[in-house]
Amino acid sequence: MGIVKALNKWANAHTYYLLDLLRAALGVFLILKGVAFMSDSEAMALVMNPFRELPGSMMIMHYVAAAHFVGGFFIIVGLLTRWCVALQMPILIGAILTNFLGVMIVSNLVQASVVFLACIFFLLYGSGKHSLDYYLKMQK
């Protein structure tokens, strides 16, 4: 718990609007991916093809869409950012692995890798000073 407090203290002292913009862009990207998964079931089935034999693969499809949509919104406003980013990690690892288990699509691999690195950054950095987390913490 002390590590999280130390990371929050450092993040609040070294906050920049550009990082808040990056956090919001990450959230918007995740929402758009969630909407794309919900609206294009054929593309989602193609992406999930390597994992078709796993038990609960249909649950995985629904988890991906919901986690991207809800997590993206929470990341935009900066509420529970670390938790939402942590919930995105298994999805992004699966997105990276999909390229190695199925058909290699370089653009999808680059996209998933960049988003994964951004999520690792915000997992460590947190939501920053210009977020709903910080606002609610200051209300105490």
Side-chain angles (χ1 to χ4, degrees):
M1 191 64 164
I3 294 173
V4 173
K5 282 188 177 184
L7 285 172
N8 276 339
K9 201 174 211 181
W10 181 86
N12 291 336
H14 297 88
T15 187
Y16 304 102
Y17 287 108
L18 184 62
L19 293 177
D20 295 326
L21 186 63
L22 180 64
R23 187 192 72 231
L26 175 65
V28 168
F29 178 79
L30 290 172
I31 287 175
L32 292 175
K33 278 296 190 184
V35 169
F37 284 152
M38 285 189 284
S39 63
D40 193 2
S41 60
E42 294 161 0
M44 182 62 171
L46 181 66
V47 169
M48 292 297 296
N49 195 26
F51 303 106
R52 187 180 63 230
E53 301 300 321
L54 291 176
S57 62
M58 190 56 77
M59 282 181 26
I60 293 172
M61 285 177 47
H62 289 86
Y63 169 72
V64 168
H68 277 347
F69 191 70
V70 174
F73 175 74
F74 276 32
I75 290 170
I76 288 172
V77 297
L79 181 63
L80 303 172
T81 302
R82 285 192 175 106
W83 284 101
C84 292
V85 165
L87 291 173
Q88 301 298 321
M89 294 298 212
I91 298 169
L92 295 170
I93 291 170
I96 292 169
L97 287 177
T98 299
N99 286 295
F100 295 108
L101 298 175
V103 177
M104 174 69 80
I105 303 172
V106 178
S107 64
N108 287 349
L109 178 63
V110 170
Q111 236 178 27
S113 299
V114 168
V115 172
F116 183 72
L117 291 174
C119 283
I120 288 174
F121 173 76
F122 284 110
L123 187 65
L124 298 173
Y125 181 77
S127 54
K129 194 173 184 178
H130 306 101
S131 66
L132 199 53
D133 278 339
Y134 185 80
Y135 175 77
L136 293 173
K137 185 176 91 172
M138 298 310 286
Q139 292 298 316
K140 289 183 181 180

